[in-house]
Amino acid sequence: MGETAKAKLPLEGIRVLDAATFLAGPFCATIFSEFGADVIKIEHPEFPDPMRNIGLKVETGDSLTWLSEGRNKRTATLNLGKPEGAELFKQLVKQADVVVENFRPGTMERWGLGYKDLAAIKPDIVMVRITAYGQEGPYKDRPGFARIGHAFSGLTYLAGESDGPPVIPGSTSLGDYISGLYGAIGALMALRHRDRTGEGQYIDVALYESTFRLLDELAPAFAKFGVVRQRMGADTATIVPHSHYQCSDGQWVAIACSSDKIFEKLAQAMGRADLVASGTYETMQARVDNRDFINGIVGEWIGRHTRDELMAVCLANEIPCGPVNSIADIFADPHFKARGSLLSVQHPEVGEIVVPAVLPRLSKTPGRVTHLGRRHGADTGDVYGELLGLTAQRLAELKSRGIV
């Protein structure tokens, strides 16, 4: 433990300029910050990242979302829309490795800060560009957020009960987080290419594409057989039983019989060996064809047990089963505690804040959280003084004109 605590993090020496707002772009930059990169969050002097206002607020006036997702970053202000601000940004880019932005296509170009502009002054710069619809295509200029990406990608169409409206999966910005991950993966691959060739490049991430990529056989099934998958509630189209079931104490569990062998174990545990006799429901296709019947039998059996009883039976028989946890359940669960999945961080003004731990887990050089999201512009003086040599007098003059 002592060795890993002192180990040089894998991204130390990398500098990232996070000029993005809301969640997808900033989350991409946060991943870099957790593994040692110097991430500088660039915000407008008058209009900070709206993420500071999304969700429950703490004593500093910032939201818990900001404290969590702004972790490890230095914060500086800069008006990119003003020529002098754009020039300062270019000077910062000369000392950076990665730029992350998520303005609508053409915005950075209008300010003289598009990829070609930045590559002209730093040919090996890597630029992550995250938008709703991507940098090209007939819809590229349309505004959009994760909810729009979910809808456009086909995910929302699949979410909800079969006889109800489409819903937002989990009431979370899933597409933002997925796009941030793809942005980070793309930037790391681009840095690998840069290290071999000296060439930079840009990564074009669209919110809808990031979500669409996760929809298993949806595209090939339609292309090959014309299948249009419909909403199925908690069920899965190709696997039965593979759903959520309510126990006798009102609690819910998830069951995943992803193979015929697992279903055989479940049938034995239920005392229904007849379900896997030859010519009955021993194959996945037979169970899919008789979904309601199988779900009815499984649901009735589960409904006679409390959640603890059901979990004990399933685990004893090696049947994949898990509780449908609320966040209160998660905080009480010993596994989350044992793995350190919940990280307690002290904030100098707010006190203890609990956030999700750093992922992925690296055995030699695990990531760290050094501090939570800082106040708007807290490091402006340090950043410009350190990187550009600007004096306090010069900074005060720039601030008076709304540049920083």
Side-chain angles (χ1 to χ4, degrees), residues 261-283:
K261 184 65 177 177
I262 295 174
F263 181 68
E264 181 180 349
K265 293 179 180 179
L266 177 62
Q268 296 288 350
M270 292 191 299
R272 293 296 307 270
D274 59 296
L275 294 174
V276 289
S278 178
T280 54
Y281 308 102
E282 75 274 19
T283 67

Side-chain angles (χ1 to χ4, degrees), residues 315-326:
L315 294 176
N317 288 276
E318 296 189 325
I319 300 161
C321 177
V324 177
N325 281 335
S326 70

Side-chain angles (χ1 to χ4, degrees), residues 253-265:
V253 293
I255 294 283
C257 285
S258 300
S259 71
D260 294 338
K261 184 65 177 177
I262 295 174
F263 181 68
E264 181 180 349
K265 293 179 180 179

Side-chain angles (χ1 to χ4, degrees), residues 251 307-308 323 325-339 341-342 354:
Q251 300 296 316
R307 186 164 73 175
D308 287 347
N325 281 335
S326 70
I327 190 62
D329 295 326
I330 286 170
F331 268 65
D333 192 282
H335 192 78
F336 275 83
K337 182 177 181 179
R339 285 187 53 87
S341 303
L342 296 168
V354 178

